[in-house]
Amino acid sequence: LLISDVYIKPKFRDRGYGTYLITEVIRNRWKLDGYKNTVYLVVMYDKLVYFYGKIGFKSLNEPNGNFSGAMVLSINSLKVSA
């Protein structure tokens, strides 16, 4: 699964559209695959860490403790209900 360049225009933000879009894409992929698999992503902007965190993604830190931008969603941590 590759999700790239998702953008919600400012006038439509804070209405749940982005969260719905991302969670539905993940759910649909899991349904098509017939199983849930771990989802990884790379956050391009720091402010998106909070957004993806609300969905259930967790930050992956480098061995030195610095955040690399990588995040992971395990199969049981999707937070938003259908």
Side-chain angles (χ1 to χ4, degrees):
L1 173 62
L2 173 65
I3 302 172
S4 178
D5 300 323
V6 175
Y7 179 80
I8 305 296
K9 289 185 176 187
K11 68 181 182 177
F12 296 109
R13 292 180 187 164
D14 299 318
R15 298 181 187 185
Y17 298 134
T19 301
Y20 179 80
L21 177 65
I22 298 298
T23 56
E24 284 303 300
V25 166
I26 292 169
R27 282 193 184 99
N28 285 329
R29 181 54 189 244
W30 285 348
K31 186 176 178 181
L32 287 171
D33 288 347
Y35 62 92
K36 293 180 179 180
N37 53 357
T38 302
V39 179
Y40 295 91
L41 66 86
V42 175
V43 177
M44 302 304 290
Y45 303 102
D46 289 341
K47 63 185 175 183
L48 293 176
V49 172
Y50 173 75
F51 169 76
Y52 286 108
K54 290 191 307 183
I55 295 171
F57 282 87
K58 304 288 183 207
S59 298
L60 294 175
N61 292 331
E62 296 176 356
N64 63 5
N66 292 332
F67 176 59
S68 64
M71 297 184 81
V72 63
L73 176 71
S74 64
I75 61 171
N76 294 318
S77 62
L78 189 63
K79 292 182 181 176
V80 180
S81 60

